[in-house]
Amino acid sequence: MRKITNAVMLVLLIAAVYIYYIEMIPLKVDAVDLAASYSKNKTEADKNFLNKELEVTGTVKAFYKLLEVRNVLELNTGNSEISLFCFFMNENDEYEAARLSEGDTVTVVGKFTGLEKYNFVNGLKIEVNKIKKPKAY
């Protein structure tokens, strides 16, 4: 009986670590690659990225007030026709984003909401809960 209990505990521990890894550790992706995935196959891209915690690295295209209501950071998506918009969940990160210049490299972490949420914006969206400043060399 004790061996069964230990085996069950081990399985539960492995399951917990797996869930933590899948849910808590952001998936790292480049902004250009993310947009290219959606340009290529939206259904497949949704399976891989939608509603997941992502760590997206890219270059700043612009920071501006969208529809005169909300500040957004737009990342460069290369030759893709799909834009990537970062919506900030806290003022400190929004302030840090406002200090960036076009061409700066930045990494944002947050929940990726895909193409459908915030229909007033045509492009990919991420709800940013953390911004990582590039390291000075």
Side-chain angles (χ1 to χ4, degrees):
M1 183 70 167
R2 186 174 176 110
K3 288 182 183 180
I4 293 173
T5 304
N6 287 342
V8 168
M9 293 297 287
L10 181 60
V11 168
L12 290 175
L13 179 62
I14 291 170
V17 169
Y18 177 77
I19 290 170
Y20 173 79
Y21 179 76
I22 296 299
E23 295 296 322
M24 302 305 278
I25 297 178
L27 178 63
K28 294 180 181 183
V29 64
D30 183 81
V32 173
D33 295 339
L34 182 61
S37 293
Y38 272 87
S39 292
K40 186 176 177 182
N41 185 334
K42 181 189 178 301
T43 303
E44 188 65 29
D46 276 347
K47 286 181 193 174
N48 293 328
F49 303 111
L50 187 62
N51 294 320
K52 293 186 179 171
E53 190 79 7
L54 298 184
E55 183 174 302
V56 181
T57 300
T59 57
V60 173
K61 183 173 182 179
F63 181 86
Y64 52 91
K65 191 170 285 283
L66 184 65
L67 301 174
E68 300 300 321
V69 175
R70 189 156 184 201
N71 289 325
V72 297
L73 176 67
E74 186 176 349
L75 298 183
N76 189 332
T77 55
N79 294 330
S80 176
E81 294 178 9
I82 299 176
S83 298
L84 175 59
F85 299 99
C86 303
F87 293 87
F88 294 92
M89 300 295 106
N90 68 62
E91 290 180 17
N92 290 335
D93 289 334
E94 189 173 305
Y95 172 77
E96 290 299 327
R99 298 176 63 202
L100 296 169
S101 299
E102 182 180 349
D104 286 351
T105 299
V106 66
T107 300
V108 294
V109 180
K111 181 180 177 189
F112 181 70
T113 59
L115 287 167
E116 308 305 321
K117 195 167 182 185
Y118 308 122
N119 288 333
F120 57 90
V121 178
N122 188 18
L124 302 172
K125 296 108 185 156
I126 185 168
E127 295 176 341
V128 176
N129 54 40
K130 184 177 180 184
I131 187 169
K132 294 182 177 182
K133 297 183 231 176
K135 293 183 171 135
Y137 295 103

